[in-house]
Amino acid sequence: MVEWKKLGEVCLPLSKAIIKQGDLLDNGCYPVINSGVTLYGRYNEYNNEGNAFTFASRGEYAGFITFLSNPFWAGGLCYPYRSKDENKFITKYIFQYLKNKEKYIMDTLVVRGGIPALNKADVEKIPIPLPSLSEQERIVGILDTFTSSIENLKAQISLRRKQYEHYRDKLLDLEGKPGVEMKTLGEICEVINGRAYSQPELLSEGKYRVLRVGNFFSNDSWYYSNLELEDKYYCNKGDLLYAWSASFGPHIWEEEKTIYHYHIWKMNCSDVVYVKYMYYWLQSEDMRGKAFGKLHGATMAHLTKALIESLQVPLPSPEEQSRIVSILDTFEASIQNLEAQLAQRQKQYEYYRERLMRFEED
């Protein structure tokens, strides 16, 4: 028989304190957790020991739950907790149960309308099933195997990305090298603006998906009415795109005919430059150094078309472009493979977590 208790009966609320973003340190000793899904930053002091979990209390991710193994600083926009008695209620077990209920908590307990907020009183009423200590230990041990594997894959991805960025920037640092011609981007690519849309023009269903800066790398969709537009306002599979405001960056479109928004450029490359070479150069330190010091806009930083077209692009021979692309493609494929493994392991973890927490069905 599994006993049920409210979270407030089995957990202690821990210390928290507001910390300003300007007080954070790049190389601080301790992580700072606040209201997001990632760390708020780092700091050289902590206000809690590890083996604790936090609820984000306000904002877009209110209700999101984070476990912290080591000392940390809890900011003002979270609720930190730890078990009252680790010999009866294992903190990590309680966290895993709550993590399994996270979507329910975010959907039902978070008050929405203005700024989303999670009430502490509601948090402490959440019912927690408490099997025997040995069963809690068994569940934690199984799930730790998955989370350890997930963290290991994340570390591998981070390391591989650093390697990729190092070699990308080294390979594309070509200015002044023998056999490298300098051309302006406007000489080798036709830069085309997308079309601006008013909200009434965007639909939940329609003939063509609308690609915006906000969904540039995600799957959420808006559609346009079935009116046909000029060809220049569509992108097709294989086209090189570049977001020029908010979330800067290149993307090679992998879907069929799609409308792209005004805040995205389509770059039609000439015969002298490979699309994939331009894709990698647009990510490089060389490009960022030439462009990002000249951003425009006080409220939303952006690149201008005149600026992007004026950038000097190092253009090696087609054979050298091909060699560089081949090397960087290998890195990119390796990262994608690790990301696929991570997604699969995450699904396995969530599946077994849900199965192990089915106390209501016992």
Side-chain angles (χ1 to χ4, degrees):
M1 187 73 180
V2 174
E3 183 180 12
W4 290 77
K5 288 184 179 290
K6 294 177 182 178
L7 184 141
E9 297 178 282
V10 299
C11 288
L12 291 169
L14 303 177
S15 299
K16 65 174 189 170
I18 294 172
I19 184 170
K20 297 178 181 177
Q21 194 166 27
D23 293 331
L24 300 174
L25 304 168
D26 290 341
N27 298 309
C29 298
Y30 304 104
V32 177
I33 190 74
N34 214 11
S35 62
V37 298
T38 57
L39 294 181
Y40 186 58
R42 302 192 71 83
Y43 196 48
N44 276 344
E45 297 178 28
Y46 64 90
N47 56 8
N48 286 290
E49 300 288 346
N51 190 37
F53 59 87
T54 66
F55 292 87
S57 63
R58 285 174 69 81
E60 181 182 0
Y61 301 107
F64 185 84
I65 309 166
T66 303
F67 184 83
L68 297 114
S69 300
N70 301 309
F72 66 99
W73 184 281
L77 298 179
C78 69
Y79 301 134
Y81 288 95
R82 174 185 297 119
S83 167
K84 288 181 177 180
D85 186 347
E86 204 71 21
N87 292 316
K88 293 181 180 179
F89 327 118
I90 299 174
T91 299
K92 189 175 274 189
Y93 162 79
I94 297 170
F95 160 75
Q96 291 286 13
Y97 177 78
L98 291 168
K99 197 69 177 174
N100 195 52
K101 295 293 183 181
E102 185 177 71
K103 186 177 187 304
Y104 170 81
I105 292 167
M106 295 176 84
D107 289 346
T108 62
L109 298 186
V110 173
V111 178
R112 301 186 184 274
I115 298 175
L118 180 64
N119 191 304
K120 188 176 181 183
D122 291 332
V123 167
E124 296 191 351
K125 292 176 185 175
I126 297 172
I128 308 293
L130 296 165
S132 66
L133 188 66
S134 61
E135 179 63 6
Q136 291 179 48
E137 289 172 340
R138 185 184 76 87
I139 290 170
V140 168
I142 293 170
L143 296 180
D144 272 357
T145 301
F146 285 104
T147 55
S148 177
S149 177
I150 287 168
E151 291 307 311
N152 180 51
L153 283 167
K154 286 180 178 178
Q156 289 185 56
I157 290 169
S158 178
L159 178 60
R160 196 63 52 84
R161 283 195 184 283
K162 287 179 181 177
Q163 292 174 334
Y164 158 70
E165 290 167 2
H166 169 78
Y167 282 103
R168 179 197 65 204
D169 293 340
K170 186 176 180 180
L171 287 166
L172 292 169
D173 183 16
L174 295 169
E175 192 165 343
K177 300 287 178 66
V180 174
E181 187 177 5
M182 300 302 295
K183 293 276 191 180
T184 65
L185 189 145
E187 289 180 285
I188 58 177
C189 293
E190 180 188 17
V191 180
I192 307 171
N193 265 110
R195 182 182 182 277
Y197 301 91
S198 62
Q199 194 63 30
E201 292 180 307
L202 297 172
L203 309 170
S204 58
E205 294 182 3
K207 186 173 182 180
Y208 298 112
R209 182 181 170 196
V210 174
L211 180 64
R212 301 167 297 139
V213 170
N215 64 5
F216 203 46
F217 298 106
S218 66
N219 293 321
D220 67 310
S221 297
W222 284 96
Y223 293 85
Y224 185 60
S225 68
N226 291 333
L227 296 174
E228 294 293 334
L229 304 175
E230 295 178 58
D231 286 345
K232 67 179 181 179
Y233 294 127
Y234 297 98
C235 58
N236 293 282
K237 189 171 183 179
D239 280 345
L240 176 61
L241 307 174
Y242 191 89
W244 54 264
S245 70
S247 53
F248 299 95
H251 186 67
I252 294 180
W253 192 236
E254 297 176 351
E255 299 180 23
E256 299 306 322
K257 192 173 182 179
T258 303
I259 297 168
Y260 63 104
H261 189 263
Y262 177 74
H263 286 274
I264 298 169
W265 288 314
K266 178 170 67 172
M267 295 187 173
N268 291 334
C269 297
S270 69
D271 293 341
V272 300
V273 62
Y274 289 130
V275 169
K276 208 65 183 292
Y277 175 83
M278 279 302 303
Y279 164 76
Y280 287 125
W281 184 81
L282 286 166
Q283 298 178 49
S284 71
E285 182 62 32
D286 184 36
M287 185 275 183
R288 294 194 300 272
K290 290 172 178 175
F292 284 14
K294 303 175 183 178
L295 293 177
H296 291 250
T299 56
M300 181 185 289
H302 63 274
L303 293 169
T304 65
K305 187 177 177 185
L307 173 60
I308 198 81
E309 289 178 331
S310 72
L311 295 182
Q312 292 284 321
V313 181
L315 204 62
S317 67
E319 293 76 19
E320 181 62 9
Q321 290 182 47
S322 180
R323 186 185 76 87
I324 290 170
V325 166
S326 177
I327 293 170
L328 297 180
D329 276 354
T330 300
F331 276 105
E332 197 168 67
S334 176
I335 293 169
Q336 289 172 354
N337 179 53
L338 288 170
E339 288 175 337
Q341 292 181 50
L342 175 61
Q344 182 62 30
R345 198 58 49 86
Q346 184 70 33
K347 286 181 181 178
Q348 291 172 340
Y349 159 65
E350 291 171 1
Y351 171 80
Y352 282 103
R353 184 186 65 196
E354 194 275 333
R355 291 292 299 269
L356 290 164
M357 298 297 183
R358 282 186 184 176
F359 297 105
E360 294 87 349
E361 298 178 9
D362 289 349

